[in-house]
Structure formats: structure tokens, C-alpha cells
Amino acid sequence: MPSVFIKTYGCQMNERDSEAVAAQLVAKGYSLAASEAVADVILLNTCSVRDGAEQKALGKMTALAGDLRRKPGVLLGFMGCMAQSRGRELIDRLPDVDLVVGTQKFHRTAEYIDELLAGRRDKIVDVAEEAGSEATIREHLLNGNGTKSVTAFVSIMQGCNQYCTFCIVPYTRGGERSRTIPDIVAECRQLVERGVKEITLLGQIVTSYGKRDIPVRAGKSAFVQLIEAVHEIDGLERIRFTSPHPKGYGDDLVEAYGRLPKLVESAHLPVQSGSDRILKAMHRGYTRERYLEIIRKLRQVRPEMGITTDIIVGFPGETETDFEETLSLVREADFDNAFIFKYSPRRDTPAATMPDQVPHEVREERNRRTLASINEHGARKYGSCVGRMAQILVEGPSRKNPARMMGRTRTNRIVVFDGSERHRGQIMDVKITRAGSFTLYGDPAILNLDGPCNQ
Ligand code: 5AD
């Protein structure tokens, strides 16, 4: 059977979609190629959130198409967000591309590849909407290479209704559609039966999960009800989710952290800006003060809470004063880490045509200043862990140095240590001996009575 190579750009949702497509292909008898050089089918699962991500995938496909002259017969396809937003235009531009599959059609990819390889069809473009597509990302590729997966991602919903003025996602992923709680729990249960210890619930805005379909019960939102149901699964050790939206951090969710021990003390909570004026122009739906209040409340319930964020610099109309408010929020919020993005105009979004677009050099400069602040703060925060104990769940070999093992603290910090395969899947206490750049190094052999690493 032919072999397939999938290259994924962008977010964790894309990673998860690629995994489901790969698993569907494997179930049909295809093999997964170790590299694109030996693959019979090459798929690029694309991201549209910034222009850079689109250019990377287009550049990659152009290079692959160039290669094709030497390797005829290799099937080339685009999937995901850019496939959705550009559709047939991609084939007009790159005629060697055979397949374009949108964000509601991932589950058709295997069947389309069959048809193309059998010569029944010449080109396929499918970017239509499909009712029920939110429940089609369910197959997992566990236990690859004979090893067991400790962590898994579960897609609980698709789409977004927030319409932030900078963001293309509502146009590429469609409106919010949620799976049912029993369907999600059944998938999680199967994963745990297959050895998974930690599950990350995934969606564009997970805190909006089930809003339209599942009524609030005893003051608990549908999302909190879902976490409670997943929490019941025996053998599951940890629950994470990404990404929430600050507007969805009601008291019911804050309170859940104090009540549900499997819900780890970690949150990726995108703030985007520290200026109320810019937050409003972005259509974020909260103020700086409300954001900081959520963080305070979370730390009241779980003082050791690890919080990361996303920040956009250079949104249209952002003045030096607005930007300084972002810098001061970064100092106040005491983030573990932050992903900084230079504003990138996206087609059809309101912000792309707003007046006062910020010049490139200013976006660059603000990006550098924010990064410097985050790095300095991170170094201090990670450095303060040295000498303390941390509890980690061991995931497998370290990516940078496969001779060592890596795990994550509940607060989502990576800890690298000298270990072996027998540690995989274990929850271990390690002493932190050194801090690198957003990485900790630990020693499982040293017992320590100084207490846990909280900060
Ligand atoms: N320009 C720059 N960054 C963006 N993001 C989303 N849209 C844009 C854009 N047009 C960032 C946001 C979001 C993250 C996934 O990508 O910070 O949280």
C-alpha cells in the first residue's frame, strides 16, 4: 500500500486533525512514511492565522512540486485552514496539487486519496460545510514505534463565534459546534484503557463548549460539566484544556480547580493586549482589570497556577502608550511564558482595513521588547525552581536529547532528566537541579524535604 507523509503547520488543533487523518489512513492500510522523500502521498495541513504561516506552506508546496518533475506520481494535497480559505485557487496557482480538503472534511481525506490514486478522479477540492463534522476527529495514533502514548488530545468542539477583529479562524473553521458529553467521555475512556494518563481537551474556545446545547446545571457551565464527567474516568491522572477565553472563566470554572484534583494547575489564557482601548478594538470582550482579576482568583484557589498567554503587538492603532500597558500587564500578570505575535493583516477581517496600521519596524521593535521582558521574567521564574521538588508525568524521551527522558509538571513546565523507558507513564517526584531557557533539569534520585516547587 502507498505511504503517506503529513506535515502540520500551526496550532494543536491542526496537530490533532493530522493525527486523526493519519489514523484513518492507517486503518485503510496505508503506511506512514518516515520522511517526505520516500512518501507516495504528501499532505500539508495548513494554518492561516498569520501570513507567515501561509507563506511557509505555499513555499513548501512549491518546492515539492519542483521535486515532482523528478518523482512523478507523488500525490500532493493541502488540508486545513488555508485549504478552506483559498480552495480551488490553490490548484490554479500550483497545478501539481491534486487535493484540497477543508476543515470540515478531514474525515474524507483517506477516501479522496483512494480515488485519486485509483485514477477515478483527476483533482479533488472539497471545502464544503458538513453538519456533524465536529464529531469526526476521533481516531488516535497511539503506541507508534512500539511505545505507549502517555498523553492524548481530544477535540471537543470546532469553530469559533467570537469574531475578534484580527482573527481569520471564524472564517476558516466555521461557527461553534460541540460534540456531546457522552461521545467525548467514551473517547477519553478508550484512550485511558490504552494507557493514556493525561488528556488535553481541545477547541478554539473550549470555555464556550456546549453553550447552545447543554443548559447550565447547578450554576455549572457545560464546559465544567464536561470536565467533571471526564474527571470520573478511573486511571486518568491529569486533565488539561486549551484554549480557554477569559470571558469563559466564570467562578464555576475557577472553583473547579479547587475541587477536581485531576484538573492541573495550568492555564493558557490568551490576553492579546494590556490596553483597554485595543482590547475593545479587538473585540475581546474583557478589560485589562477583568483579566487580572481572573488570574488573581485562579491563584487564590491554586497559588502555584502556571499561566501562559498569547500577545499581539502592533494591532492597528496601537500607540506607544497602549503598548506600554501591554508591557506593564506582562509584569503584573507574572506569566510563566508568553507567545508574542506581530500583528498580521488577514483577508476579510475587520482589522485589516482599520486605519493607523502600525509600520513593520514598530511591530518588530515591540516584538523584541516584549520577548526580552518575557525571557527575563521566565529565567527568574524558572531559576527559582532550582533546589525544589516537582511532580512530573513522564512522557518519553526528550526531543532535543533522546538519551534523556522528559516529563511535565502539573503547571506545564518541561523537566528533562536521566531516566529510561521504564519511567514512561510514571508520576515521579524529581529534584530540580538546573534551569535552562523554559526547561528545567531534574534528578529523580535525590529526595528533598524542602517542599514542592511552587513558583
Ligand atoms: N496577527 C497576529 N497574531 C494573530 N493571532 C491570531 N490572529 C492573528 C493575527 N492576525 C494570534 C493570537 C492567537 C494566536 C493563536 O495567534 O494571539 O491567540
Side-chain angles (χ1 to χ4, degrees):
M1 277 297 268
S3 68
V4 184
F5 186 81
I6 305 179
K7 184 168 171 60
T8 307
Y9 298 84
C11 65
Q12 280 158 318
M13 270 67 79
N14 285 12
E15 295 286 349
R16 176 71 196 100
D17 295 337
S18 292
E19 184 196 17
V21 170
Q24 286 161 5
L25 285 160
V26 168
K28 267 184 165 265
Y30 290 83
S31 63
L32 300 180
S35 77
E36 62 193 43
V38 295
D40 303 300
V41 178
I42 303 175
L43 303 173
L44 303 186
N45 191 8
T46 56
C47 170
S48 287
V49 85
R50 283 171 296 279
D51 187 52
E54 290 205 350
Q55 295 311 322
K56 251 195 236 169
L58 288 169
K60 180 77 198 170
M61 191 58 93
T62 307
L64 289 170
D67 256 6
L68 260 196
R69 277 172 231 126
R70 274 171 279 126
K71 260 174 64 184
V74 173
L75 194 153
L76 295 177
F78 279 118
M79 304 191 291
C81 285
M82 185 174 66
Q84 184 69 41
S85 72
R86 299 197 181 207
R88 178 161 293 278
E89 174 195 324
L90 288 168
I91 293 186
D92 296 341
R93 180 169 172 165
L94 291 158
D96 290 312
V97 171
D98 307 289
L99 176 63
V100 178
V101 182
T103 53
Q104 303 198 25
K105 297 290 179 178
F106 287 112
H107 57 293
R108 302 250 184 244
T109 308
E111 164 192 330
Y112 288 153
I113 291 174
D114 277 352
E115 292 191 16
L116 290 165
L117 288 176
R120 285 193 292 272
R121 289 173 72 179
D122 183 32
K123 305 268 176 197
I124 298 178
V125 177
D126 190 356
V127 295
E129 290 180 11
E130 185 173 320
S133 62
E134 67 277 7
T136 57
I137 305 297
R138 48 202 320 144
E139 291 83 359
H140 290 260
L141 270 186
L142 296 176
N143 313 341
N145 309 323
T147 57
K148 278 200 165 199
S149 297
V150 176
T151 63
F153 292 83
V154 171
S155 176
I156 64 169
M157 63 191 296
Q158 290 286 332
C160 184
N161 292 349
Q162 179 67 22
Y163 287 91
C164 296
T165 53
F166 52 79
C167 190
I168 198 169
V169 167
Y171 313 98
T172 60
R173 289 267 175 181
E176 282 167 10
R177 290 106 59 214
S178 298
R179 296 171 66 183
T180 65
I181 292 180
D183 192 28
I184 296 167
V185 170
E187 183 176 330
C188 294
R189 210 178 276 287
Q190 277 177 11
L191 289 167
V192 173
E193 277 163 14
R194 291 164 73 183
V196 165
K197 300 274 198 282
E198 175 185 297
I199 286 176
T200 304
L201 305 174
L202 279 184
Q204 299 296 339
I205 299 190
V206 285
T207 39
S208 297
Y209 168 79
K211 254 198 175 144
R212 263 183 316 185
D213 318 309
I214 305 170
V216 174
R217 272 210 339 246
K220 290 174 197 159
S221 63
F223 184 54
V224 170
Q225 294 174 44
L226 171 66
I227 296 174
E228 285 181 344
V230 174
H231 197 271
E232 294 281 300
I233 300 172
D234 283 337
L236 178 65
E237 302 275 358
R238 290 176 170 188
I239 302 171
R240 300 184 187 279
F241 54 79
T242 200
S243 286
H245 188 286
K247 75 174 178 172
Y249 256 95
D251 288 344
D252 61 328
L253 182 53
V254 173
E255 182 261 351
Y257 282 94
R259 188 164 51 87
L260 302 172
K262 295 178 185 177
L263 183 59
V264 293
E265 39 279 51
S266 164
H268 179 69
L269 198 49
V271 66
Q272 314 297 2
S273 170
S275 151
D276 281 343
R277 213 175 60 79
I278 297 297
L279 286 170
K280 193 159 185 216
M282 287 176 161
H283 194 240
R284 289 295 291 171
Y286 53 85
T287 60
R288 169 197 180 96
E289 192 37 48
R290 171 68 187 134
Y291 183 88
L292 290 168
E293 181 193 9
I294 294 164
I295 289 190
R296 271 195 302 276
K297 282 189 173 178
L298 284 170
R299 288 188 173 131
Q300 265 162 21
V301 178
R302 290 285 182 95
E304 65 281 30
M305 194 85 187
I307 299 171
T308 55
T309 199
D310 290 343
I311 291 170
I312 297 177
V313 295
F315 182 84
E318 184 187 75
T319 62
E320 178 62 23
T321 312
D322 292 316
F323 173 63
E324 278 165 15
E325 285 180 30
T326 297
L327 285 182
S328 84
L329 179 130
V330 163
R331 283 189 297 271
E332 247 179 89
D334 189 24
F335 292 121
D336 258 53
N337 199 355
F339 301 93
I340 323 291
F341 304 106
K342 286 169 277 183
Y343 171 69
S344 167
R346 310 309 299 127
R347 73 157 98 169
D348 298 333
T349 60
T353 49
M354 283 181 186
D356 303 320
Q357 298 281 323
V358 175
H360 280 284
E361 321 76 76
V362 178
R363 281 184 246 169
E364 285 288 349
E365 188 236 2
R366 290 180 185 168
N367 183 50
R368 272 197 306 274
R369 285 161 68 192
T370 320
L371 264 180
S373 169
I374 292 290
N375 288 342
E376 188 202 308
H377 185 77
R380 235 182 306 130
K381 217 169 153 87
Y382 275 64
S384 72
C385 288
V386 174
R388 309 228 214 142
M389 298 296 290
Q391 188 196 73
I392 61 168
L393 171 61
V394 182
E395 293 182 12
S398 156
R399 250 200 289 171
K400 279 191 206 141
N401 178 358
R404 312 187 84 187
M405 297 295 278
M406 71 72 78
R408 272 173 215 270
T409 65
R410 288 173 60 95
T411 54
N412 211 22
R413 295 187 184 137
I414 289 175
V415 179
V416 175
F417 66 100
D418 279 320
S420 64
E421 269 301 320
R422 77 192 157 88
H423 293 121
R424 186 192 287 265
Q426 283 186 26
I427 298 226
M428 292 180 22
D429 289 323
V430 292
K431 180 163 180 172
I432 304 303
T433 53
R434 188 160 70 83
S437 171
F438 298 107
T439 307
L440 298 172
Y441 296 85
D443 190 334
I446 308 173
L447 277 176
N448 181 296
L449 301 172
D450 291 349
C453 169
N454 287 335
Q455 293 303 316

